[in-house]
Amino acid sequence: MTMTLPILFNNRHILPSGRLPLRVAPGTQLTTVKYAMRNGLDIGVCMDETSPIGAGIGTRVSIEDFSLSSEDGSLTITVSGHESFIIDSVLDNDENIVVATCQTLPSWPKQEVSIDSAPLAERLQIMFERYPELSSLHASPHFDNLTWLCQRWLELLPLPASEKQVLMAANSCSNTAEYLLSLMKDPH
């Protein structure tokens, strides 16, 4: 499916079924958010790799909540991820908003957690217990769904955007699960 979205470049990835607070700096980012809210549009969030071409995979999100910081004029928006996409083309519209024509990527099929992949669930549960603000974003966690677990780990881990983009472009969570499990077995 083809869609056109205003694009917000951010230093964090959000994936389908995810919820994240994103800091929106005054300037271009804030203008993009205002444009989307004024026009009732969802936003495409792509990880910033210094150019739109380097951030070719993103996720369509809807804005659920926002709060303004009186200190620096930034805005924090809580967004909910829907489907991932790959950018076909990017342009500035009449209001100088970066808008992209995108193709949706196939959703990863749900997979049950196996004995081998159980550490992904166990360690994410520990993270949720240690960081209540993280847990509060996901009222109904799906610790038995390997796809959901892999998506949350990709949101949380500070991996290079290029690695995340390769994993996000796959047809299932299998490669991501193997990659994440190898990171857990071989702490760098």
Side-chain angles (χ1 to χ4, degrees):
M1 179 176 92
T2 301
M3 60 184 157
T4 303
L5 296 168
I7 299 295
L8 182 65
F9 295 101
N10 199 283
N11 62 352
R12 297 181 70 187
H13 262 117
I14 180 167
L15 285 94
S17 303
R19 291 186 73 236
L20 285 177
L22 299 176
R23 183 182 175 279
V24 178
T28 305
Q29 287 188 339
L30 188 57
T31 303
T32 299
V33 170
K34 287 179 181 178
Y35 171 84
M37 292 178 78
R38 183 174 62 247
N39 292 292
L41 301 173
D42 287 341
I43 298 175
V45 175
C46 294
M47 194 150 190
D48 189 355
E49 287 241 304
T50 68
S51 80
I53 304 307
I57 295 178
T59 302
R60 180 179 66 86
V61 303
S62 54
I63 299 170
E64 293 185 346
D65 197 8
F66 63 91
S67 63
L68 185 62
S69 169
S70 58
E71 294 176 15
D72 64 359
S74 68
L75 184 71
T76 299
I77 58 174
T78 301
V79 296
S80 177
H82 300 293
E83 68 273 333
S84 294
F85 59 79
I86 188 162
I87 294 176
D88 286 335
S89 62
V90 177
L91 59 92
D92 287 349
N93 71 6
D94 295 341
E95 297 184 44
N96 289 324
I97 303 297
V98 175
V99 176
T101 302
C102 315
Q103 295 294 323
T104 57
L105 292 171
S107 297
W108 287 353
K110 181 180 176 180
Q111 290 186 29
E112 289 191 23
V113 174
S114 67
I115 292 171
D116 291 339
S117 60
L120 295 174
E122 294 161 2
R123 292 191 182 181
L124 191 60
Q125 286 174 323
I126 291 169
M127 292 279 289
F128 274 38
E129 290 168 10
R130 285 189 185 157
Y131 302 99
E133 66 277 7
L134 179 61
S135 178
S136 70
L137 291 170
H138 301 283
S140 300
H142 301 278
F143 294 115
D144 60 340
N145 180 345
L146 186 59
T147 296
W148 187 87
L149 291 168
C150 288
Q151 291 169 332
R152 301 302 67 82
W153 278 115
L154 286 178
E155 291 170 348
L156 292 170
L157 291 175
L159 302 172
S162 58
E163 288 181 35
K164 287 187 180 186
Q165 300 245 328
V166 167
L167 294 168
M168 289 171 66
N171 291 329
S172 75
C173 69
S174 298
N175 292 342
T176 301
E178 288 178 28
Y179 178 79
L180 295 169
L181 288 166
S182 72
L183 288 178
M184 290 180 182
K185 290 177 184 169
D186 182 26
H188 298 89

